[in-house]
Amino acid sequence: MKPNDDRKYVIALIFVLIPLIFVVKLFYMQVVDDKWKDRAAQISENRILTYPSRGIVYDRNNVKIISNEIYYDIHVIPKMAIGIDSVALVNLLGITMADYTAKMNIARAFSMRKPSEIVRQIPPNEFSLIAPELYKYPGFFEVARTLRVYPKKIAAHALGYMNEANLDDIKKDGYYQPGDYIGRTGIEKMYEKQLRGKRGVKYYLQDAMGVSTGKYEDGKYDTLAIQGKNITLTIDAELQAYGEKLMQNKLGSIVAIEPSTGEILAMISAPTYDPNLLVGRHLGNNYGKLQEDTLLPLQNRSMNSAYMPGSIFKTVMALIALQEGVVTENASFPCNKELAGCHDHPMAQNISDGVKFSCNPYFIQLTRRIIQQRKDRSIFKDAAIGIDLWAKYVRSFGIGVDLKIDYPTNVHGNVPDAAYYNEHLKFRWAFSTVQSIAIGQGEVLITPLQMANLAAAIANRGYFVAPHFIKKIEGEKIPEIYTKKQKTMVDAAYFEPVIDGMWRVVHEPGGTAQRARVDSLHVCGKTGTVENFKKISGRVYQLTDHSNFMAFAPRNNPQIAISVFIENAGFGGTWAAPIASLLIEKYINGEVLDTAKENYILNANLIPDASDIIRK
Amino acid sequence: MRGPENKIFAHVDWTFLALYFILVILGISTIYSAVYDPDHPSLFDLDTEHGKQIMWLGISLFLGTIIFFLESNFIRKYAYWIYGTTMLLLVAVLFTSPIHGARSWFGFGSLGIQPSEFAKIGVALALAKFIDQNNAVKEGKSANKNQGLATLWGVIPFIAKNRETALIIGIPCALVLLQPDAGTFIVFTSFLLVLYREGYAGNILLFLVVALIIATITLLVADTNFMLLFTKIKLSGKAGILIVLGVLTSIFLLVIRNFVLKRNRKGAYRALIGSVLVAVALVYTVEGAYTNILRSHQKERIDLLLGKIDDPDGKGYNINRAKAAIGSGGFLGKGYQAATLANSSQKHVPMQSTDFIFCTWSEERGFVGSFVFIVLYTFMLLKMIVIGERQRSVFTRVYAYCVASIFFYHFMINIGMAIGLAPVIGIPLPFFSYGGSSMMSFSVLFFILLKLDSERKVVLQ
């Protein structure tokens, strides 16, 4: 053997060792580590999302109240935008030169070959002027997208609005991506999942410049966009529009419910606004203006405001007293004005009279019977037992509780019980301390929705169905809660005297709501006039009373239950009652014949000014 | 009975020849897949790279046939002439106008010839002839005695004693650096493996490994600073290395004093001091070369390899795309012509038909393909050693090792670069990458070896 012959083994070893290292490294890269596969997908694949159109919303008579409209964004591919007459283009698109320059710089920095947005959401009528000129500007092209449109311009509060999903939304629900729109309030929010549909994805291969070169795996992983579901609401667009017209120049709300089903026929909060204002590129601007308005047009007063109920609450007191057996329908109490102020009226001989005259002392004495039933020797303990029982009754009418309406709200009013008074009163209390609750003043708070629901419960003689907007969802059942009857704690048998009283309120001379009469219809109603205090720079002022009215009609087999609440308008019978009657007439008869009453309401401006403050 | 033709092909190593065809055909199929263009679907379309590559293969086979009909003595006899011609070409190319900043090409229309590819053949033949004539590499006097890095002390005496060898390798090294072409320069250092085989001081390999480690550490800490422990003195990374070297030296000094026989101590001290001096010189050389000689893109490539910069879409674009292509191949690959990155219609991986051809292969064939390819290649390299070792002729043996070393370097750097184990150095993968000069020069290298080997029985009658 020659001296260096064994060196061939060293070289051979090197020739094996290096490839071995390569094999190990390749095994790691290609089989073990997924990092490079992700990286490769990121480099070579492009996901293009296809957007479904959002579900259409119909009213109960299949009138479109929310639909979609095509808007146009103008995009640019900077590399293709050569020889552009930018002055002419800026004029055509209706933007400023500074804006154009800034957008173009952003687009160029993003990518020379990929499109970027220059102008957003040009409405179709404006785009029809731009489209025939656009060919003069190579690299610029339109991208169509749909936005919400509200053809009837009604029910802004109930329908809600949409805006871009924020970081919180994206974190909460992985479906959303920056730039997506999401239902922010009302029906748009409540039925977001049904309305939005499902995005589709198409995977493309892209080259090093980001230009698509073909479908990835022949579209094996592509999904189609699924259109949003159409839904039908319980709202009657015509009634809603009429109610909004009547509520012009007034603050307040109207809620109308079909008693047998709990379907909301109309929900008006005044002042309202055109829902089309909160769509598209002007949303931010318009929203700001609405938000600054001192009359709070964005506030949904029909559900997100709670007021003292006033005299309409007396009906509930009468029903509880009858059920508890502490009075009979022929109970008579003197109009003792030392107990509470009252107007002059003949003495109430029975429950029906009490309701008709809305006698304050009558109901205080009646409610005392409910609360102080002498179940305990201590008058204080007795009151506590009584008020808890009373509160249970009141809540069974849907007052002060969550009605589970399909509308995002967390205002549910208030029904005080023993625990509430123990917490809020610094001294021992009995019925006489809190007696104003009997006439709907004091600690009881109720939303207009709950008032309408109360009217429905009385109309139904003892039950209601949770009020709701949803009538039909394409391919889906509506939640069970909206078909289930919820019984009040008062039996049907006890309702007749109260309903009789409510009929007489409207139909008999001396009733508080004769303006609510509709010829040929038996309307039952109850007025309320709600005292109203406001703290202004540290001093408490009494403001003009709120005018309140609840009603249903016809008396037998009722088709509509309604509550009308007008802020700072005075007596319930003066304003709220005629508005309710107009809506009842409109809904049941299909037209309003009493044009005098209609004009009286349309011409009224009840928006309070400084003179409405009564110095106390 | 035997005609002359029979005699010519009598002892041809058919397995070796088969390896050639397997690799070349796989290479062309991969190029076809990488640059496939629906407008030019024909395999033989000369407007396409695969079509041209087939043409180059034809020319290469023609050259191979000529080589087979030459007297093998002719090759031996004219080895220096061939060497001289290729060197002249290397000089001549310096007078062309630069393409991409380097004077490496003679252009003929759309075709180009890279003389440095052919210089490898010249050097291999000249080296083989010289060592054959002188029968051995002359040892430096102290080479065998000294240990470790001190071996380098032997470099100067070695060069002095083997002036001709040093010149044979040194001239083309200098000429390609003038182009400049760092990749080919590194390939020329592959001849060190041949010298090693032929008897040059064995510790050269150990030296290279240690030098590589020191160089890597030096580059890693080159422009960093650190605080000296327990103090507030700020020191450069280089100072840190020197301190570590000092500590190591002290430890070794103590070891020698306590554990080495007195009569050997003097030699040991000398070796240690020699090693330290070489190491310090190395640190300074590497750092100096890095900061002063390397061009900025070369520095970037080294920094990328060492992980000092991470810029997947900028400076690290090439290597990041290459790794993504290979890594996304998975176990079985995406299938022929189904690459989504290393494909000319996608253009994500640059130079995917030349320097990064392995990416296309690996993305389409997955780990299984990578494994098969590396096994094939390793088999070919080992086959070259076997061929070298079975020769009675020193000339053929040296030549075989030259070919093996060249192929090995190309393979090691090209694949290593694609998978991120070597810096990005643009050299082709023999028989696989698209390119006329490389196709022809590697084929000629190969066919000369095949021819010489086929005459192993008759060479020394």
Side-chain angles (χ1 to χ4, degrees):
Chain A
M1 225 175 153
K2 287 172 194 157
N4 298 313
D5 266 6
D6 52 348
R7 291 192 175 182
K8 68 188 175 203
Y9 298 113
V10 178
I11 294 176
L13 187 69
I14 296 169
F15 281 15
V16 172
L17 211 62
I18 298 284
L20 202 64
I21 293 171
F22 286 177
V23 168
V24 171
K25 169 85 180 179
L26 279 162
F27 185 76
Y28 183 74
M29 277 172 72
Q30 298 191 283
V31 182
V32 181
D33 191 1
D34 282 337
K35 175 180 135 190
W36 293 110
K37 291 174 191 65
D38 297 344
R39 182 76 184 122
Q42 193 190 336
I43 292 167
S44 68
E45 290 163 22
N46 192 8
R47 274 159 31 110
I48 292 179
L49 301 174
T50 52
Y51 288 90
S53 64
R54 200 171 165 89
I56 308 284
V57 179
Y58 298 95
D59 90 332
R60 63 190 297 116
N61 301 317
N62 282 324
V63 175
K64 250 185 224 178
I65 48 178
I66 311 182
S67 69
N68 301 313
E69 195 166 43
I70 295 180
Y71 280 69
Y72 298 88
D73 295 349
I74 302 291
H75 286 213
V76 65
I77 294 176
K79 195 181 188 322
M80 290 162 67
I82 300 158
I84 299 294
D85 179 355
S86 52
V87 177
L89 181 62
V90 160
N91 286 335
L92 181 67
L93 298 178
I95 54 176
T96 65
M97 191 49 119
D99 195 22
Y100 171 79
T101 315
K103 288 266 174 65
M104 282 304 282
N105 285 339
I106 293 167
R108 285 194 197 97
F110 168 67
S111 168
M112 288 301 282
R113 286 167 193 263
K114 286 190 193 178
S116 300
E117 185 183 284
I118 295 292
V119 192
R120 192 177 247 213
Q121 294 164 3
I122 299 176
N125 56 339
E126 284 178 40
F127 182 70
S128 65
L129 302 175
I130 295 172
E133 299 287 313
L134 208 55
Y135 77 95
K136 293 178 189 162
Y137 308 95
F140 288 83
F141 60 95
E142 78 279 8
V143 174
R145 53 192 278 164
T146 61
L147 281 179
R148 279 313 217 193
V149 63
Y150 303 87
K152 296 283 166 193
K153 304 181 182 178
I154 54 165
H157 297 97
L159 301 180
Y161 70 96
M162 302 182 67
N163 64 8
E164 258 179 69
N166 58 35
L167 281 179
D168 272 357
D169 301 321
I170 293 163
K171 221 185 282 168
K172 259 187 244 158
D173 186 341
Y175 177 83
Y176 296 100
Q177 296 183 342
D180 280 355
Y181 274 69
I182 183 170
R184 190 55 72 201
T185 59
I187 295 302
E188 295 278 25
K189 177 177 182 177
M190 208 64 202
Y191 292 99
E192 168 72 13
K193 283 225 168 79
Q194 286 85 355
L195 290 170
R196 75 182 179 197
K198 199 160 178 267
R199 269 193 307 265
V201 185
K202 287 184 179 146
Y203 291 92
Y204 288 96
L205 284 175
Q206 61 178 8
D207 68 12
M209 297 303 176
V211 176
S212 287
T213 54
K215 287 205 133 195
Y216 178 68
E217 302 250 317
D218 289 329
K220 202 161 84 185
Y221 302 104
D222 294 2
T223 55
L224 282 174
I226 297 170
Q227 303 303 311
K229 289 176 177 168
N230 297 340
I231 64 175
T232 305
L233 298 185
T234 59
I235 285 191
D236 182 321
E238 218 176 306
L239 186 71
Q240 175 81 25
Y242 186 61
E244 286 183 16
K245 194 170 139 197
L246 296 179
M247 287 298 277
Q248 277 172 9
N249 299 320
K250 294 158 194 81
L251 302 183
S253 59
I254 299 171
V255 180
I257 295 177
E258 183 176 74
S260 57
T261 57
E263 291 177 357
I264 295 171
L265 302 171
M267 170 175 284
I268 295 130
S269 174
T272 184
Y273 57 91
D274 180 353
N276 294 300
L277 288 176
L278 297 187
V279 171
R281 53 181 170 164
H282 302 300
L283 189 155
N285 215 346
N286 290 334
Y287 189 87
K289 280 185 200 156
L290 290 171
Q291 207 172 25
E292 282 166 20
D293 193 326
T294 52
L295 297 178
L296 307 178
L298 288 173
Q299 166 86 356
N300 184 355
R301 290 169 157 87
S302 55
M303 246 181 286
N304 290 333
S305 296
Y307 307 91
M308 289 186 279
S311 299
I312 65 163
F313 199 55
K314 290 170 184 165
T315 55
V316 184
M317 300 305 99
L319 291 167
I320 300 171
L322 288 168
Q323 176 76 32
E324 274 293 296
V326 294
V327 295
T328 67
E329 62 178 281
N330 292 318
S332 172
F333 296 100
C335 182
N336 178 358
K337 291 202 172 83
E338 281 172 22
L339 277 172
C342 202
H343 54 104
D344 293 326
H345 59 81
M347 179 163 149
Q349 301 291 342
N350 51 34
I351 295 279
S352 176
D353 280 354
V355 171
K356 182 190 165 189
F357 299 137
S358 196
C359 175
N360 287 339
Y362 184 95
F363 281 97
I364 288 173
Q365 292 167 82
L366 174 139
T367 307
R368 183 197 303 280
R369 293 248 186 116
I370 302 169
I371 289 171
Q372 306 278 195
Q373 290 196 33
R374 312 231 172 116
K375 287 180 180 164
D376 196 287
R377 280 167 62 193
S378 154
I379 185 176
F380 304 112
K381 282 185 188 163
D382 188 41
I385 294 165
I387 203 151
D388 278 349
L389 178 72
W390 172 87
K392 249 171 94 183
Y393 269 107
V394 176
R395 285 174 188 148
S396 80
F397 283 87
I399 298 165
V401 295
D402 184 356
L403 282 173
K404 310 277 185 212
I405 186 176
D406 46 354
Y407 184 95
T409 178
N410 44 25
V411 178
H412 305 308
N414 183 42
V415 173
D417 52 17
Y420 177 89
Y421 282 121
N422 288 336
E423 193 190 326
H424 285 84
L425 297 181
K426 294 180 188 81
F427 40 84
R428 303 183 80 184
W429 55 273
F431 175 70
S432 51
T433 327
V434 299
Q435 63 179 22
S436 59
I437 57 173
I439 54 171
Q441 302 283 345
E443 292 79 8
V444 181
L445 293 176
I446 186 169
T447 65
L449 173 72
Q450 290 168 345
M451 294 182 212
N453 187 60
L454 172 62
I458 297 171
N460 288 338
R461 277 82 170 164
Y463 73 87
F464 63 90
V465 179
H468 55 277
F469 285 109
I470 195 71
K471 197 165 171 67
K472 221 158 55 188
I473 305 172
E474 212 177 30
E476 226 178 275
K477 279 193 160 178
I478 68 165
E480 205 186 326
I481 184 176
Y482 298 140
T483 53
K484 213 179 72 189
K485 290 178 179 174
Q486 299 186 43
K487 288 190 98 60
T488 63
M489 285 166 68
V490 178
D491 296 336
Y494 298 111
F495 279 85
E496 215 37 56
V498 174
I499 289 172
D500 187 58
M502 287 170 74
W503 183 84
R504 291 166 67 206
V505 164
V506 177
H507 292 277
E508 278 186 2
T512 52
Q514 292 183 70
R515 284 176 204 239
R517 193 179 304 175
V518 179
D519 294 338
S520 79
L521 276 179
H522 291 283
V523 178
C524 301
K526 180 73 196 79
T527 54
T529 304
V530 183
E531 290 193 332
N532 166 27
F533 304 94
K534 196 171 187 183
K535 219 174 186 178
I536 298 169
S537 23
R539 294 172 75 167
V540 174
Y541 295 89
Q542 181 164 18
L543 277 66
T544 310
D545 297 339
H546 296 318
S547 173
N548 188 11
F549 186 66
M550 75 166 180
F552 63 87
R555 177 171 176 171
N556 293 316
N557 195 17
Q559 291 170 38
I560 182 170
I562 192 166
S563 80
V564 178
F565 197 99
I566 314 292
E567 290 181 9
N568 312 100
F571 291 116
T574 318
W575 297 109
I579 291 175
S581 80
L582 286 169
L583 284 165
I584 288 169
E585 190 182 0
K586 174 85 179 168
Y587 181 69
I588 295 179
N589 291 344
E591 57 180 337
V592 174
L593 297 174
D594 194 344
T595 48
K597 198 194 275 180
E598 191 176 34
N599 287 330
Y600 159 74
I601 296 299
L602 286 174
N603 295 330
N605 185 344
L606 302 176
I607 293 180
D609 53 36
S611 68
D612 289 316
I613 296 173
I614 301 164
R615 191 77 181 271
K616 182 111 187 183
Chain B
M1 285 295 287
R2 286 180 179 172
E5 281 83 2
N6 274 347
K7 227 177 164 185
I8 285 173
F9 295 108
H11 297 289
V12 165
D13 191 322
W14 296 108
T15 316
F16 194 43
L17 185 61
L19 270 175
Y20 172 82
F21 279 108
I22 290 171
L23 286 172
V24 165
I25 288 166
L26 288 181
I28 291 172
S29 82
T30 311
I31 293 167
Y32 182 72
S33 171
V35 304
Y36 178 78
D37 174 358
D39 294 340
H40 299 276
S42 166
L43 183 60
F44 301 101
D45 191 329
L46 281 184
D47 285 340
T48 62
E49 293 191 340
H50 44 87
K52 284 183 194 161
Q53 189 77 342
I54 289 171
M55 179 188 82
W56 294 124
L57 173 63
I59 295 172
S60 299
L61 291 177
F62 175 70
L63 292 175
T65 314
I66 292 175
I67 288 164
F68 254 78
F69 286 95
L70 287 176
E71 284 289 323
S72 58
N73 267 334
F74 177 88
I75 298 168
R76 255 172 276 240
K77 201 169 163 184
Y78 291 101
Y80 288 149
W81 285 99
I82 296 168
Y83 175 78
T85 311
T86 57
M87 289 309 112
L88 278 177
L89 286 174
L90 276 186
V91 173
V93 84
L94 294 177
F95 296 98
T96 62
S97 53
I99 298 168
H100 300 307
R103 296 179 167 87
S104 309
W105 294 86
F106 291 119
F108 304 104
S110 70
L111 306 175
I113 294 292
Q114 216 176 349
S116 58
E117 293 293 340
F118 298 95
K120 291 167 195 165
I121 306 168
V123 175
L125 288 171
L127 202 58
K129 177 157 185 173
F130 183 78
I131 292 173
D132 184 24
Q133 281 174 344
N134 297 274
N135 236 328
V137 175
K138 297 183 189 92
E139 286 294 338
K141 191 185 162 196
S142 54
N144 280 337
K145 273 189 184 174
N146 289 337
Q147 309 285 319
L149 290 172
T151 306
L152 214 67
W153 287 121
V155 166
I156 293 155
F158 173 86
I159 290 174
K161 294 216 165 187
N162 299 279
R163 249 173 273 144
E164 300 89 340
T165 313
L167 277 177
I168 290 171
I169 303 173
I171 290 170
C173 281
L175 288 174
V176 294
L177 277 183
L178 287 173
Q179 290 183 358
D181 180 355
T184 309
F185 169 77
I186 289 170
V187 173
F188 279 123
T189 64
S190 67
F191 294 111
L192 285 175
L193 278 176
V194 182
L195 298 183
Y196 169 77
R197 170 62 186 90
E198 293 306 316
Y200 175 57
N203 290 322
I204 182 86
L205 291 181
L206 182 63
F207 166 76
L208 283 175
V209 172
V210 176
L212 196 64
I213 293 169
I214 292 179
T216 307
I217 295 172
T218 307
L219 291 176
L220 271 176
V221 301
D223 34 3
T224 59
N225 291 302
F226 71 102
M227 296 294 239
L228 195 59
L229 274 182
F230 311 119
T231 67
K232 288 196 169 169
I233 305 165
K234 206 173 188 183
L235 289 173
S236 69
K238 192 168 74 182
I241 297 180
L242 295 179
I243 291 169
V244 171
L245 279 176
V247 172
L248 283 176
T249 311
S250 318
I251 293 169
F252 277 114
L253 273 174
L254 286 173
V255 168
I256 291 167
R257 231 177 84 183
N258 295 313
F259 299 105
V260 176
L261 287 177
K262 206 166 189 178
R263 60 166 183 269
N264 291 340
R265 269 185 212 163
K266 208 172 163 187
Y269 283 136
R270 236 190 356 223
L272 181 66
I273 291 163
S275 303
V276 171
L277 288 177
V278 171
V280 171
L282 190 68
V283 169
Y284 274 88
T285 314
V286 168
E287 209 220 4
Y290 175 76
T291 45
N292 301 322
I293 297 178
L294 285 188
R295 288 185 291 164
S296 64
H297 72 274
Q298 290 167 326
K299 275 193 226 176
E300 273 166 16
R301 288 170 182 182
I302 288 172
D303 289 346
L304 280 166
L305 180 70
L306 296 175
K308 279 165 81 177
I309 51 178
D310 181 28
D311 186 7
D313 294 319
K315 292 166 183 159
Y317 182 89
N318 293 4
I319 190 62
N320 183 273
R321 296 303 189 271
K323 284 164 95 172
I326 295 172
S328 66
F331 188 71
L332 289 172
K334 296 177 183 171
Y336 189 60
Q337 290 195 329
T340 55
L341 276 88
N343 172 310
S344 71
S345 65
Q346 303 294 107
K347 299 185 190 72
H348 291 294
V349 178
M351 300 171 282
Q352 80 271 37
S353 64
T354 56
D355 295 346
F356 284 103
I357 189 70
F358 182 69
C359 297
T360 303
W361 171 265
S362 214
E363 188 184 356
E364 292 182 348
R365 310 291 181 168
F367 174 72
V368 172
S370 312
F371 181 76
V372 167
F373 177 81
I374 286 174
V375 167
L376 269 176
Y377 229 92
T378 309
F379 182 63
M380 182 179 76
L381 293 171
L382 293 175
K383 185 84 196 169
M384 288 170 179
I385 294 182
V386 170
I387 288 171
E389 291 297 334
R390 73 183 175 203
Q391 306 300 325
R392 276 175 284 179
S393 152
V394 175
F395 181 91
T396 311
R397 183 182 72 214
V398 173
Y399 180 76
Y401 269 98
C402 285
V403 176
S405 305
I406 292 167
F407 274 68
F408 174 67
Y409 260 56
H410 275 270
F411 168 75
M412 175 172 74
I413 291 169
N414 186 283
I415 308 286
M417 151 183 95
I419 62 179
L421 291 177
V424 177
I425 296 167
I427 61 171
L429 187 56
F431 299 157
F432 235 67
S433 291
Y434 166 74
S437 300
S438 64
M439 183 73 198
M440 287 191 290
S441 65
F442 290 123
S443 296
V444 169
L445 273 174
F446 176 88
F447 281 112
I448 291 175
L449 180 58
L450 196 67
K451 168 72 180 171
L452 291 173
D453 177 57
S454 72
E455 297 186 345
R456 60 189 177 274
K457 303 243 162 90
V458 293
V459 129
L460 294 170
Q461 307 97 329

